[in-house]
Amino acid sequence: MTMPEEIEQLKITLGETADDRKQAEVLLEILKKYFSINSTDTQPYIERLLQLAEKLNEPLYKAWGLYYLAILKRLKGEYDDSKDFSVQALSLFEQMKDRKGIADSYHNIGYVYFLLPNYPEALKNYFAALKCREETVRKQDIASSYSSIGLVYQRQGNYPEALKNYF
């Protein structure tokens, strides 16, 4: 099944789900899949997740809603808003001690700084993300952090450090 087909199936599941918590979980899956293909067709799903987070008084759903809103803003080139929403999500993730959320938020902040380009701040945030990711031991996330760090060094012309991180 292709990613668009998976998303359509999740939308059907969402429509058939009455329980608010289950809807929020399906929304998280929809958003994860949309952003894996860099789609910006996510605004209604983010808004719905944030509404459910408020209704359920669930800070974890709010944190992920803010995180996905930050990504949407970054994809649309609204870097200041992306950074602000990432910082809000980061604060909530830190309160809940959610290491993946903390790492992902730092990574998005680093990405925004990379695009601005403010390489020292990008590296600071990418290294913070890497530290959290090394604690969670998800190899794909750790590799993503090293790749991002390598890209910053490459843009700075520090090719030996870039290669070290790429490898």
Side-chain angles (χ1 to χ4, degrees):
M1 188 179 308
T2 67
M3 190 63 70
E5 291 170 335
E6 288 180 34
I7 292 170
E8 288 307 311
Q9 185 60 47
L10 284 167
K11 287 179 186 179
I12 291 167
T13 302
L14 180 64
E16 296 171 347
T17 305
D19 181 74
D20 288 341
R21 286 195 185 279
K22 288 181 183 174
Q23 283 184 21
E25 292 298 324
V26 173
L27 286 165
L28 285 171
E29 284 300 311
I30 289 171
L31 290 167
K32 187 187 305 181
K33 292 192 182 298
Y34 262 129
F35 284 116
S36 73
I37 58 173
N38 289 326
S39 174
T40 56
D41 298 330
T42 55
Q43 186 74 40
Y45 304 103
I46 294 169
E47 288 173 5
R48 192 161 170 193
L49 179 61
L50 289 170
Q51 289 167 355
L52 285 171
E54 191 72 29
K55 180 179 178 183
L56 295 167
N57 192 29
E58 180 56 63
L60 185 63
Y61 295 147
K62 181 176 182 180
W64 282 111
L66 291 169
Y67 168 76
Y68 285 119
L69 185 56
I71 293 178
L72 176 62
K73 295 295 183 179
R74 178 178 44 82
L75 290 173
K76 289 184 170 186
E78 299 171 23
Y79 302 136
D80 288 337
D81 287 343
S82 179
K83 198 170 21 161
D84 290 343
F85 288 122
S86 288
V87 168
Q88 290 175 45
L90 176 61
S91 176
L92 288 171
F93 286 130
E94 287 177 334
Q95 290 172 25
M96 294 177 287
K97 298 178 179 21
D98 183 312
R99 303 306 288 167
K100 178 165 178 27
I102 292 168
D104 289 353
S105 295
Y106 274 126
H107 194 87
N108 191 61
I109 294 167
Y111 199 163
V112 169
Y113 278 118
F114 174 78
L115 294 169
L116 285 174
N118 181 335
Y119 299 137
E121 284 298 315
L123 283 173
K124 178 178 135 186
N125 285 281
Y126 281 148
F127 276 116
L130 176 62
K131 182 179 178 195
C132 291
R133 287 175 168 175
E134 287 176 333
E135 293 170 6
T136 63
V137 195
R138 281 200 64 219
K139 291 181 182 182
Q140 182 179 358
D141 291 341
I142 293 169
S144 175
S145 286
Y146 277 117
S147 177
S148 296
I149 291 166
L151 188 56
V152 173
Y153 283 125
Q154 180 183 344
R155 288 282 172 90
Q156 290 178 318
N158 186 343
Y159 301 114
E161 198 64 33
L163 285 173
K164 182 175 119 181
N165 282 280
Y166 285 144
F167 289 119

